[in-house]
Amino acid sequence: MPSLDDWSSLLLSLKLGCTVTFVLILISPPLSWWLAHSHSRLKPLISAVTALPLVLPPTILGFYFLLLTGPNGTVGHLTLALGLGTLPFTFPGLVVASVFYSLPFVVQPLTNVFERVGHWPLEVGATLRASPLKAFFTIVIPMTVPDLMAASLLGFAHTLGEFGVVLMMGGNIPGETRVASIQIYNHVEALEYGQAHWLSGTLLTLSLILLVLVQKYGLSRKRI
Amino acid sequence: MSIRVKNDPGGLHVPHSQLCRIASASVLLFSLIFLNQKMARAEDVTVAVAANFSAAMKEIAARFESDTRDHLIISYGATGQFRAQIMNGAPYAVFLTADDVTGKQLADDGLAVPDSRFVYATGALVLWSPDPLIAGSLETLLEQGSFKHIAMANPALAPYGAAARETLENLGLWNHLQDKILYGENISQAYSMVVGGGAHLGFVAKSQVMRHGHWLPGSVWVVPPSLYKPLNQEAILLLKGQNSKAAHALMAYLKSEKSRSIVKAYGYVP
């Protein structure tokens, strides 16, 4: 039977997913548009950095995040100097790490969509005297809402499932950083396979539903 | 406009109440999600505990909390990982390690109180199989090598793995069994290999196959302690817990008779 801790970890996962998805929705469209249309020399580098989480083992990412943002790291020095404390072992720390970790899952599909859309919405906007920024928000964003939804759902689902980064950065602290995937690990380590099955089943069902939704939104996009 | 709405039989009325229900449900869900953190957190002692000790720790924590009214916030994990996290500012007050070197290293690094170190439990190595039919002959089976796979923890990473390797070396079987050994990252992975049926038998911790003083169904051979170095697990008070009364109380509790009897019931030598 699920314990109170199990529910608490599930809620924490949902909270992390919601927060991370919100941040991703804010930063991904501009970044993706830039990646789709820029001719900058920096583009391959930025594109590669965004894709790093796809290829690096999560524990390694988490480890370097920990070193970088800990009290002895460069980012850690900065956050301490700003009076913000350090990021590891806190919920905001998890959010920062998860945003980076789930970024490619939102940025890459959006970049593809923006590449297919091309430049014409901005050009059409320009004939109506709309600035590129205004055209982006009044033409491009509304016409790609289903893709935005699908990409955000993918980012959300990926955040729910992450383990290595969260374990390293979060430190498995109940109520603060112990998300569902880590609670499953705890149950397995404690040989409580029954509770592990229950939580895993819940996560599996949730992820499956989310992915079906992603497919549904993705398939409805054949018209572009 | 409003008259038209009232005359409309259910056209707008039903969706409206449904909308209310959906809205209130989502408000409830979101407040649950975002209030949850405050409810779950009652700050007291943050404890890092080696994963192999988690079953015993849960019972000790329950007794400790009801005896002292202090609250324990416990994280379970791998000792090496905890060490890396503590070196990077993790907020743990007390650390129950899985070996007898990590505590000293942390004290040398100035992250723990040196003289607070003590052995809270000594692990015991057993050879175990969930198959009850081979009872009494596991040692013979091991010597004959008449099985496909045997599981153990990685000797380079886990103390129980090192103990298993030492045992096999002392029995003169290490070289002979090389191509039959499956390595788990830690002792719980070795255990799940045996339970899952990937390996017929495996070296696991006695604490994993013992519940409340009784063996789990299966066959077991308790490896004679003379065949491997003692698996001493040390507890240490970390710098962050130095000024916490509750952290000191937990350290004292782990030495108490009450705690030691639980440790014993879970298959450790107290």
Side-chain angles (χ1 to χ4, degrees), chain A residues 15 171-172 176 178 189 192, chain B residues 37 41 74-76 92:
Chain A
K15 180 181 161 187
N172 199 346
E176 177 86 22
R178 183 180 290 170
E189 289 291 308
E192 295 157 347
Chain B
Q37 194 184 346
R41 193 170 48 192
I74 306 172
S75 298
Y76 301 100
Y92 306 115

Side-chain angles (χ1 to χ4, degrees), chain B residues 142-234:
Chain B
L142 185 70
E143 277 164 8
Q144 288 167 347
S146 49
F147 48 83
K148 212 168 165 197
H149 291 298
I150 180 167
M152 66 162 78
N154 188 337
L157 301 175
Y160 281 94
R165 179 184 174 151
E166 214 180 327
T167 302
L168 287 179
E169 280 174 346
N170 283 332
L171 292 172
L173 296 168
W174 175 251
N175 291 325
H176 179 59
L177 290 176
Q178 274 308 305
D179 50 351
K180 294 187 173 180
I181 300 176
L182 302 177
Y183 295 105
E185 189 207 348
N186 55 31
I187 197 71
S188 0
Q189 229 173 60
Y191 175 82
S192 43
M193 281 175 181
V194 184
V195 173
H200 292 87
L201 66 172
F203 283 103
V204 299
K206 188 180 170 192
S207 56
Q208 289 176 302
V209 290
M210 184 164 258
R211 297 284 183 285
H212 310 289
H214 299 286
W215 295 104
L216 290 185
S219 320
V220 71
W221 174 52
V222 180
V223 180
S226 57
L227 289 175
Y228 58 94
K229 278 195 236 45
L231 292 156
N232 287 332
Q233 304 195 186
E234 283 187 341

Side-chain angles (χ1 to χ4, degrees), chain B residues 27-262:
Chain B
V27 166
L28 188 72
L29 181 70
F30 272 85
S31 46
L32 265 175
I33 292 174
F34 286 90
L35 286 176
N36 155 59
Q37 194 184 346
K38 294 265 157 52
M39 280 161 34
R41 193 170 48 192
E43 268 186 341
D44 265 321
V45 193
T46 319
V47 195
V49 178
N52 80 65
F53 198 64
S54 46
M57 190 60 200
K58 276 178 189 163
E59 195 166 329
I60 292 173
R63 300 268 183 92
F64 175 77
E65 287 181 341
S66 71
D67 283 4
T68 63
R69 296 185 176 273
D70 288 326
H71 181 59
L72 300 182
I73 301 162
I74 306 172
S75 298
Y76 301 100
T79 298
Q81 191 170 37
F82 277 135
R83 187 182 163 215
Q85 289 176 333
I86 289 161
M87 289 166 78
N88 284 285
Y92 306 115
V94 173
F95 186 12
L96 273 62
T97 69
D99 56 35
D100 50 8
V101 289
T102 305
K104 189 177 182 307
Q105 286 165 338
L106 283 171
D108 290 347
D109 288 342
L111 293 164
V113 183
D115 54 4
S116 67
R117 223 154 34 99
F118 73 96
V119 176
Y120 65 93
T122 301
L125 187 70
V126 299
L127 184 62
W128 186 72
S129 169
D131 180 1
L133 296 176
I134 38 176
S137 59
L138 267 191
E139 193 187 357
T140 332
L141 187 74
L142 185 70
E143 277 164 8
Q144 288 167 347
S146 49
F147 48 83
K148 212 168 165 197
H149 291 298
I150 180 167
M152 66 162 78
N154 188 337
L157 301 175
Y160 281 94
R165 179 184 174 151
E166 214 180 327
T167 302
L168 287 179
E169 280 174 346
N170 283 332
L171 292 172
L173 296 168
W174 175 251
N175 291 325
H176 179 59
L177 290 176
Q178 274 308 305
D179 50 351
K180 294 187 173 180
I181 300 176
L182 302 177
Y183 295 105
E185 189 207 348
N186 55 31
I187 197 71
S188 0
Q189 229 173 60
Y191 175 82
S192 43
M193 281 175 181
V194 184
V195 173
H200 292 87
L201 66 172
F203 283 103
V204 299
K206 188 180 170 192
S207 56
Q208 289 176 302
V209 290
M210 184 164 258
R211 297 284 183 285
H212 310 289
H214 299 286
W215 295 104
L216 290 185
S219 320
V220 71
W221 174 52
V222 180
V223 180
S226 57
L227 289 175
Y228 58 94
K229 278 195 236 45
L231 292 156
N232 287 332
Q233 304 195 186
E234 283 187 341
I236 193 161
L237 185 67
L238 299 169
L239 232 48
K240 301 220 167 173
Q242 207 175 7
N243 300 319
S244 152
K245 260 188 191 167
H248 283 277
L250 175 64
M251 290 294 278
Y253 198 86
L254 284 168
K255 293 176 188 165
S256 73
E257 216 30 68
K258 265 184 195 172
S259 165
R260 296 177 88 82
S261 69
I262 299 172

Side-chain angles (χ1 to χ4, degrees), chain A:
Chain A
M1 275 313 283
S3 64
L4 200 65
D5 283 349
D6 293 343
W7 288 113
S8 151
S9 72
L10 260 181
L11 285 174
L12 195 63
S13 272
L14 292 178
K15 180 181 161 187
L16 182 68
C18 290
T19 318
V20 168
T21 310
F22 178 73
V23 178
L24 285 173
I25 289 176
L26 291 184
I27 62 174
S28 301
L31 182 61
S32 300
W33 185 265
W34 185 81
L35 285 175
H37 296 295
S38 164
H39 298 290
S40 161
R41 258 194 253 163
L42 279 175
K43 186 174 135 179
L45 182 68
I46 303 287
S47 178
V49 170
T50 324
L52 269 185
L54 291 176
V55 290
L56 274 185
T59 14
I60 293 187
L61 267 183
F63 180 64
Y64 284 104
F65 251 112
L66 183 61
L67 289 188
L68 206 65
T69 56
N72 306 318
T74 329
V75 180
H77 280 303
L78 188 74
T79 51
L80 278 174
L82 291 171
L84 298 170
T86 50
L87 283 173
F89 322 114
T90 62
F91 184 76
L94 278 198
V95 173
V96 172
S98 306
V99 164
F100 181 68
Y101 185 53
S102 293
L103 195 63
F105 291 83
V106 184
V107 164
Q108 294 208 338
L110 278 187
T111 307
N112 288 336
V113 169
F114 289 158
E115 273 170 358
R116 266 186 294 151
V117 164
H119 252 301
W120 69 263
L122 298 198
E123 286 156 11
V124 170
T127 64
L128 298 168
R129 294 194 185 174
S131 66
L133 203 64
K134 194 175 176 193
F136 180 73
F137 282 109
T138 53
I139 307 174
V140 178
I141 293 292
M143 72 185 278
T144 53
V145 160
D147 300 289
L148 274 170
M149 290 281 285
S152 319
L153 281 173
L154 203 58
F156 183 79
H158 189 245
T159 308
L160 281 194
E162 73 176 8
F163 172 73
V165 173
V166 175
L167 185 64
M168 251 350 214
M169 265 297 272
N172 199 346
I173 297 165
E176 177 86 22
T177 60
R178 183 180 290 170
V179 295
S181 56
I182 291 187
Q183 181 72 353
I184 294 172
Y185 166 78
N186 284 339
H187 284 318
V188 173
E189 289 291 308
L191 312 180
E192 295 157 347
Y193 289 173
Q195 279 171 291
H197 289 323
W198 183 88
L199 254 186
S200 306
T202 312
L203 264 194
L204 182 76
T205 316
L206 208 60
S207 310
L208 202 64
I209 294 172
L210 286 170
L211 287 177
V212 167
L213 287 177
V214 170
Q215 293 299 319
K216 211 179 142 213
Y217 280 115
L219 288 177
S220 69
R221 291 297 298 156
K222 282 195 173 152
R223 53 185 193 276
I224 286 188

